[in-house]
Each structure stands twice: as C-alpha cells, then as structure tokens.
Amino acid sequence: MKTVHEVLLHKGRGEIYSIAPIRSVYEAIEMMSDRHVGALPVMIDDKLVGVVSERDYARKVILRDKSSKQTRVSEIMTQDVVTVTSHDRLADCVDLMLKHHIRHLVVVDEGSVAGMLSLRDLYTEIIDEQAETIDQLEHYVRGEQ
C-alpha cells in the first residue's frame, strides 16, 4: 500500500496554497476556483490554524444568507483540523476521512504543512495501484514475464 509521500510525489509537490483567517470568504472561494481545489489550509504565517472548504462555504455562508465578501474565513473555517503525515498509508487516510466525514486532509510533517490530499487523490491512487496488481496477475497467469 502506498504512502502519502508517494501520492504527493505523484501529484507533484508544487506550491502549497493557503489563506489567512482574516481574508474574506469570497477571496477563499476565488482562490479555490483559480487553483482548482476544494479546500485550503488556513494559516497565520507558517502555522496551521484551520481549513476552509467549499462545503463550509455552502453550509455556513450560502445557507445562512451571509455575504461572502463580508464574512471572514475565521468565521467559517474548521479549527480542529484532521491531519496526516507523509508516512501514513492511503488506507488509513481513507479511514480517517470516512470516520470524520471530510473530503480533504492536510499533510503536516515536523510541524509544517507539506501538502493537501483530497478523497479523489486517494481513490485515484488506490485504483491505479489495484489496476497494476491486476495487470501483474494477468501476466503471471498467462506465464508472461
């Protein structure tokens, strides 16, 4: 089973997008749209203080008829962030996401944010790994090297 580190390498360790808690929700949603992500770590300097997602926006802004330009990220972010390390296994990450009903995990190594994973990232890797295993088994059954 692959580790978070392998998934981050496969994704390409690019820039880690984050937002400050004092920014507006509108700016957070705009950044998510521009970067094609569904959640952002909320940080003060280099310290993780929360995570904000499209789901937070839908439930805590739209459904409550708040203004996204007037509402601060700190008002809707999740403060108790579920994190993993780059050494964690994918199956454990999926279990955490299902247990906590979340779609994104922040990867933290030695106190620093190292990346972010979505449920889609994990499922894609697991499916790819299973397809490779099936291919190897088919070659084995056929007696091919």
Side-chain angles (χ1 to χ4, degrees):
M1 177 62 63
K2 289 183 180 181
T3 64
V4 169
H5 174 75
E6 292 170 292
V7 176
L8 291 177
L9 285 176
H10 185 249
K11 278 180 65 169
R13 283 188 181 233
E15 182 180 352
I16 298 170
Y17 307 113
S18 67
I19 194 153
I22 62 169
R23 306 300 286 198
S24 73
V25 171
Y26 181 87
E27 292 171 291
I29 293 299
E30 184 176 49
M31 183 183 288
M32 286 183 229
S33 175
D34 291 346
R35 306 290 191 234
H36 306 286
V37 297
L40 293 169
V42 181
M43 301 180 67
I44 297 176
D45 297 322
D46 289 333
K47 184 178 186 254
L48 179 67
V49 295
V51 66
V52 64
S53 69
E54 293 168 330
R55 184 186 279 185
D56 292 324
Y57 174 67
R59 293 180 177 179
K60 299 173 186 174
V61 177
I62 294 174
L63 290 178
R64 295 183 183 167
D65 204 26
K66 290 185 172 184
S67 165
S68 60
K69 290 186 178 182
Q70 302 302 317
T71 305
R72 300 283 160 232
V73 168
S74 61
E75 296 175 52
I76 70 163
M77 71 183 189
T78 300
Q79 293 180 22
D80 296 326
V81 182
V82 179
T83 63
V84 294
T85 70
S86 61
H87 303 291
D88 287 314
R89 293 176 335 118
L90 298 192
D92 296 332
C93 293
V94 171
D95 289 344
L96 267 177
M97 292 171 125
L98 294 173
K99 177 183 174 186
H100 293 281
H101 305 285
I102 57 176
R103 295 180 185 160
H104 300 89
L105 286 172
V106 181
V107 182
V108 177
D109 285 326
E110 299 177 12
S112 296
V113 174
M116 191 133 180
L117 294 176
S118 69
L119 196 53
R120 179 183 298 192
D121 295 332
L122 298 179
Y123 283 161
T124 299
E125 290 292 331
I126 290 168
I127 289 168
D128 288 350
E129 188 174 38
Q130 289 176 345
E132 185 177 316
T133 300
I134 290 168
D135 188 54
Q136 290 172 354
L137 288 171
E138 286 175 343
H139 281 80
Y140 176 77
V141 169
R142 289 189 207 125
E144 301 170 358
Q145 293 291 336

